[in-house]
Amino acid sequence: SQTIHQWPATLVQPVGSPLSLECTVEGTSNPNLYWYRQAAGRGLQLLFYSVGIGQISSEVPQNLSASRPQDRQFILSSKKLLLSDSGFYLCAWGGQLQETQYFGPGTRLLVL
Amino acid sequence: KQEVTQIPAALSVPEGENLVLNCSFTDSAIYNLQWFRQDPGKGLTSLLLIQSSQREQTSGRLNASLDKSSGRSTLYIAASQPGDSATYLCAPLEDYKLSFGAGTTVTVRA
């Protein structure tokens, strides 16, 4: 069966520090991968998606970037965090057909 | 850009009452629509998926309807239980991307 992992689970970082969040998927190959952010009191916003290794599409201009170094690994990064980067970050995967997406447990990021 | 609205934003009911959660979306050219559940501080759990060609989908006490042409979906939860307390999210899918509403937070009182 397929499993999706995210780490760390929680993170407290000072403003201006770098960020690296990791997401890995097991039990499937060539998945579409997604990064979402959920700010306090707001809906989920799609940040990045990837249909293959090295292929990244950005949905909103921001302080963040994403990379996909391996088929089942998706990384969210920042060189310098802003206060507004605080939120709950969710990784998801979906198949090549447009069926459901499966979400990871999330990373809660607090930037102080 | 797809805009998703969920009404009401919050709902509190006594145990046993039926729940009706509404979702509207602006772009009807969707591939499917999904309903998710989110518990506090947790990820999302898929509840139901309705294909764009379907009008209705059922799973246990859950029933979701879809009127694609009018951009509406409704989630019905029968005989609510305290364990149904969570935030429910509606998400239409188009071009492999989900768009989310802000959700309806449900509290079922024992």
Side-chain angles (χ1 to χ4, degrees):
Chain A
S1 64
Q2 300 87 7
T3 309
I4 180 167
H5 302 280
Q6 286 186 247
W7 64 88
T10 60
L11 193 59
V12 181
Q13 292 285 94
V15 170
S17 63
L19 174 73
S20 181
L21 303 181
E22 189 164 343
C23 170
T24 59
V25 180
E26 296 177 356
T28 188
S29 59
N30 197 27
N32 292 332
L33 296 173
Y34 306 84
W35 278 111
Y36 293 86
R37 177 171 59 201
Q38 188 174 37
R42 300 179 65 180
L44 272 80
Q45 181 183 38
L46 178 63
L47 301 176
F48 300 96
Y49 70 97
S50 172
V51 299
I53 296 174
Q55 300 178 62
I56 308 294
S57 297
S58 174
E59 288 296 296
V60 294
Q62 59 208 315
N63 183 43
L64 303 169
S65 61
S67 62
R68 185 171 178 175
Q70 300 180 41
D71 181 46
R72 289 169 288 178
Q73 184 184 31
F74 205 22
I75 297 173
L76 184 69
S77 304
S78 174
K79 292 182 179 179
K80 289 186 178 181
L81 283 168
L82 306 172
L83 287 174
S84 58
D85 292 324
S86 294
F88 191 47
Y89 288 82
L90 287 162
C91 180
W93 76 271
Q96 293 303 315
L97 300 176
Q98 295 201 76
E99 66 268 30
T100 192
Q101 291 182 14
Y102 300 92
F103 284 77
T107 294
R108 188 160 302 280
L109 172 66
L110 178 60
V111 182
L112 300 175
Chain B
K1 179 176 180 269
Q2 183 75 273
E3 300 288 340
V4 182
T5 303
Q6 291 189 245
I7 295 172
L11 192 56
S12 179
V13 299
E15 183 176 4
E17 201 163 291
N18 297 332
L19 296 167
V20 180
L21 310 180
N22 297 297
C23 169
S24 62
F25 48 95
T26 54
D27 187 350
S28 62
I30 63 171
Y31 191 82
N32 62 41
L33 184 141
Q34 298 174 57
W35 283 92
F36 292 88
R37 168 184 172 139
Q38 185 177 28
D39 293 295
K42 304 293 185 182
L44 274 63
T45 301
S46 180
L47 297 174
L48 287 169
L49 182 151
I50 313 176
Q51 299 293 350
S52 61
S53 58
Q54 294 180 305
R55 301 279 296 181
E56 198 172 316
Q57 188 68 258
T58 297
S59 176
R61 293 184 295 111
L62 305 180
N63 174 276
S65 66
L66 174 64
D67 184 343
K68 182 182 163 184
S69 60
S70 67
R72 294 178 184 175
S73 179
T74 302
L75 178 66
Y76 303 90
I77 304 177
S80 62
Q81 304 169 357
D84 294 329
S85 298
T87 297
Y88 292 82
L89 299 167
C90 158
L93 178 76
E94 54 184 334
D95 296 330
Y96 297 89
K97 292 174 280 187
L98 290 170
S99 298
F100 284 89
T104 295
T105 299
V106 171
T107 302
V108 181
R109 308 186 304 271

